[in-house]
Amino acid sequence: MSLQIDFGIEGGLAAFPGLAKPLRIDCANLAKDEAGRIEALVRRADFFGRREPAHAAPLPDARTYTIGVDDGSQCRTLRLDEPIADDAMRALVAELREHALRLRRAGAR
Amino acid sequence: MRNGPAAPQRHRCGCRAIVPPELLRRIAQNGTKPQREAALATLATDHSLRFARATAQLTGGPPRRLALVAAEFVPRRTVFDAGHREALPGTPVRAEGQRAGRDTEVNEAYDGLGATFAFFADVYDRNSIDDAGMPLDASVHYSVRYDNAFWNGRQMVFGDGDGEIFNRFTASLDVIGHELAHGITADEANLAYLGQAGALNESISDVFGSLVKQYRLGQAAAEADWLIGEGLFTRRVKGVALRSMKAPGTAFDDPVLGKDDQPATMAGYVHTTADNGGVHTNSGIPNHAFYLAAVALGGNAWDVAGHVWYETLRDRHLRPNATFRQFAALTVRNAAQSFGAAAERAVATAWQDVGIDTSARSRRVPGRTAGRAPARRGRRGIA
């Protein structure tokens, strides 16, 4: 089964209700190369095996990302505060952020 | 947090010295004879006390502070290029005094840091973020298509924007002032970044970010646009800015970003757990109170309203978990102490208009009901 990902963004320099709404990314509906890229990033980040991220006191205007991944046999939700130290997780967030923006723009047309 | 010892003594004393040096200089030039004499006497006192502070620092402070005294009120800026990576600060590309180069983001960050430093030095006699000459560092070109800017506790961080919704984040002077003001708030009051205290934290950054821009442009309160982040949106976005202090809730209404949902009054207060309890949403309420107070007081917003807010930020009674009402009560008291009954009324009315009652019946300033002031937190309070 392909991945289903829920992605949400909180905070940042301003509150944007349109960007804060959680978004569902279903890899089954994506082009094969795009789905493959996201699934590879999830694996590289060891999303299901990694430790729960630590949460320090929030930094002013930094953002918090909520990522929920369901691969059909397991599901997990992680919250990550900026700045994200882990390279693999940061790459996954960047990819999802870009993808979410494209989806929102497409939905707004 | 403040480094080194606390300032040996306050160099502002009572109502007279709270008037900004820049305003005093204008009165000394243009006022009536008694006004000129009073202004000159105050400037002389302020200079003497600043000299006394410098002397005390030279004799009693740690070695780190010696250079600060010699170079007092001189910015020490460094702009770094993060090279589209996330490791901070990156490569230094422009240090203090170096000429502008070809990189727009570097030049804007450098100039914005300078304008913010100059504002706080000229108007509030403050020497950088910690009032002790803290270097001002900023990194530009952070990450890839990064559409945000933030203060990481030590420096400012700017993304280039994604080019579709956001332009580069150095484009807005008030945003640079906003981020540096977070550093000042942390240094003075350490307001929690949560709930009403967090919304106050955000609002204080908007207030001083807007004042930095107004001061740079020489705009009186009635002339200012009171927008935060004008110029950050690309032309594709239906909106003028991130926020409006004059009319919260009207800054943008866009198919992708959604509609600006900042309330202007307590009637619209948003109860939420998102964004640390809606810190960027409910900040619209104290933002609007400041706007109303500044316009009612007239003239330049930084002269009276800005001073009241600044002294409140430094007030030893301002707690890290302050509520809107507690902060409002302190502004009313500081307005009365520093500028008299008319200012007190204007500030109280502004809070009343956004739904926050600061009347004596409802006002309860923390620690002020028991006859003696609470223990100091090691910070300066109103003299």
Side-chain angles (χ1 to χ4, degrees):
Chain A
M1 181 185 170
S2 58
L3 298 181
Q4 286 194 332
I5 299 175
D6 292 319
F7 182 64
I9 304 175
E10 292 174 33
L13 188 53
F16 296 113
L19 300 184
K21 286 180 196 161
L23 196 75
R24 168 69 54 96
I25 299 170
D26 189 341
C27 289
N29 298 332
L30 302 181
K32 199 172 178 181
D33 60 336
E34 195 168 15
R37 189 166 64 245
I38 291 175
E39 286 166 355
L41 286 168
V42 169
R43 280 196 302 274
R44 187 181 148 211
D46 188 20
F47 192 88
F48 292 107
R50 68 184 304 115
R51 282 186 178 178
E52 194 73 26
H55 294 283
L59 297 175
D61 299 325
R63 292 180 294 200
T64 298
Y65 302 93
T66 303
I67 305 174
V69 179
D70 183 346
D71 71 355
S73 62
Q74 56 186 333
C75 56
R76 187 180 191 197
T77 299
L78 296 178
R79 282 172 62 83
L80 299 118
D81 303 322
E82 284 183 328
I84 300 167
D86 182 81
D87 287 345
M89 191 56 88
R90 196 169 57 239
L92 173 63
V93 167
E95 176 70 24
L96 295 177
R97 197 172 57 218
E98 286 287 324
H99 192 84
L101 186 58
R102 283 199 298 275
L103 284 178
R104 291 189 203 282
R105 287 181 62 83
R109 284 194 194 112
Chain B
M1 299 297 287
R2 181 177 301 283
N3 294 318
Q9 68 178 103
R10 276 183 60 80
H11 59 288
R12 300 175 185 85
C13 39
C15 303
R16 193 175 60 163
I18 200 167
V19 180
E22 187 231 20
L23 180 59
L24 286 170
R25 282 191 284 275
R26 282 214 304 275
I27 295 170
Q29 288 170 354
N30 305 317
T32 62
K33 187 165 183 274
Q35 287 171 338
R36 288 201 305 272
E37 288 171 351
L40 286 169
T42 303
L43 283 168
T45 303
D46 187 63
H47 178 79
S48 300
L49 289 169
R50 190 188 293 185
F51 180 77
R53 178 178 64 173
T55 303
Q57 286 173 341
L58 280 167
T59 55
R64 189 185 74 80
R65 294 180 70 88
L66 295 179
L68 299 183
V69 174
E72 195 174 24
F73 295 89
V74 174
R76 294 192 291 161
R77 290 168 284 182
T78 307
V79 180
F80 299 84
D81 185 344
H84 302 290
R85 300 176 67 87
E86 289 80 14
L88 292 172
T91 305
V93 287
R94 190 174 176 191
E96 187 62 47
Q98 290 184 334
R99 296 173 63 179
R102 292 181 177 177
D103 190 317
T104 300
E105 283 85 341
V106 171
N107 296 334
E108 286 176 339
Y110 183 88
D111 292 343
L113 293 174
T116 305
F117 181 93
F119 168 76
F120 281 101
D122 293 351
V123 179
Y124 304 128
D125 202 22
R126 185 182 187 88
N127 187 9
S128 192
I129 288 170
D130 60 352
D131 202 16
M134 178 177 170
L136 299 176
D137 293 343
S139 295
V140 300
H141 304 310
Y142 178 78
S143 193
V144 179
R145 288 166 53 87
Y146 186 74
D147 47 9
N148 198 23
F150 63 92
W151 168 257
N152 79 347
R154 295 177 301 280
Q155 66 158 101
M156 301 173 65
V157 183
F158 296 100
D160 291 341
D162 52 41
E164 296 175 31
I165 293 177
F166 294 102
N167 292 316
R168 63 189 186 280
F169 278 75
T170 52
S172 176
L173 175 58
D174 45 85
V175 165
I176 296 175
H178 174 106
E179 296 304 334
L180 283 179
H182 276 307
I184 293 173
T185 294
D187 179 71
E188 292 288 358
N190 203 24
L191 281 171
Y193 204 65
L194 182 70
Q196 290 198 8
L200 287 168
N201 193 324
E202 271 302 313
S203 175
I204 288 164
S205 275
D206 279 354
V207 163
F208 290 110
S210 182
L211 292 184
V212 167
K213 185 170 86 170
Q214 291 176 35
Y215 183 71
R216 178 67 169 266
L217 297 175
Q219 291 178 327
E223 300 166 332
D225 61 20
W226 295 97
L227 295 172
I228 302 298
E230 186 190 22
L232 291 191
F233 292 147
T234 65
R235 289 180 181 177
R236 297 181 186 182
V237 174
K238 293 177 180 168
V240 292
L242 304 177
R243 289 181 283 277
S244 169
M245 298 175 71
K246 182 177 181 178
T250 66
F252 57 87
D253 188 356
D254 179 80
V256 175
L257 296 179
K259 186 184 181 312
D260 179 3
D261 63 352
Q262 273 210 314
T265 72
M266 288 300 286
Y269 187 91
V270 177
H271 296 274
T272 177
T273 56
D275 190 20
N276 298 300
V279 298
H280 291 93
T281 304
N282 292 316
S283 58
I285 297 166
N287 273 2
H288 196 52
F290 181 83
Y291 161 79
L292 292 172
V295 170
L297 290 162
N300 298 320
W302 59 84
D303 279 337
V304 180
H307 254 272
V308 169
W309 256 245
Y310 181 67
E311 288 302 325
T312 301
L313 178 60
R314 300 177 60 187
D315 193 315
R316 64 193 165 118
H317 293 100
L318 180 61
R319 299 282 173 80
N321 62 348
T323 63
F324 286 177
R325 188 184 299 277
Q326 288 166 343
F327 182 86
L330 288 172
T331 62
V332 173
R333 189 184 79 118
N334 285 322
Q337 285 191 343
S338 301
F339 296 101
E344 178 187 20
R345 277 194 302 276
V347 172
T349 301
W351 286 111
Q352 186 76 41
D353 288 349
V354 301
I356 295 172
D357 185 3
T358 61
S359 63
R361 187 169 49 81
S362 70
R363 196 187 310 166
R364 184 183 177 279
V365 175
R368 194 164 286 148
T369 55
R372 74 181 176 87
R376 288 176 64 100
R377 295 176 300 167
R379 299 194 176 277
R380 296 160 297 181
I382 297 281

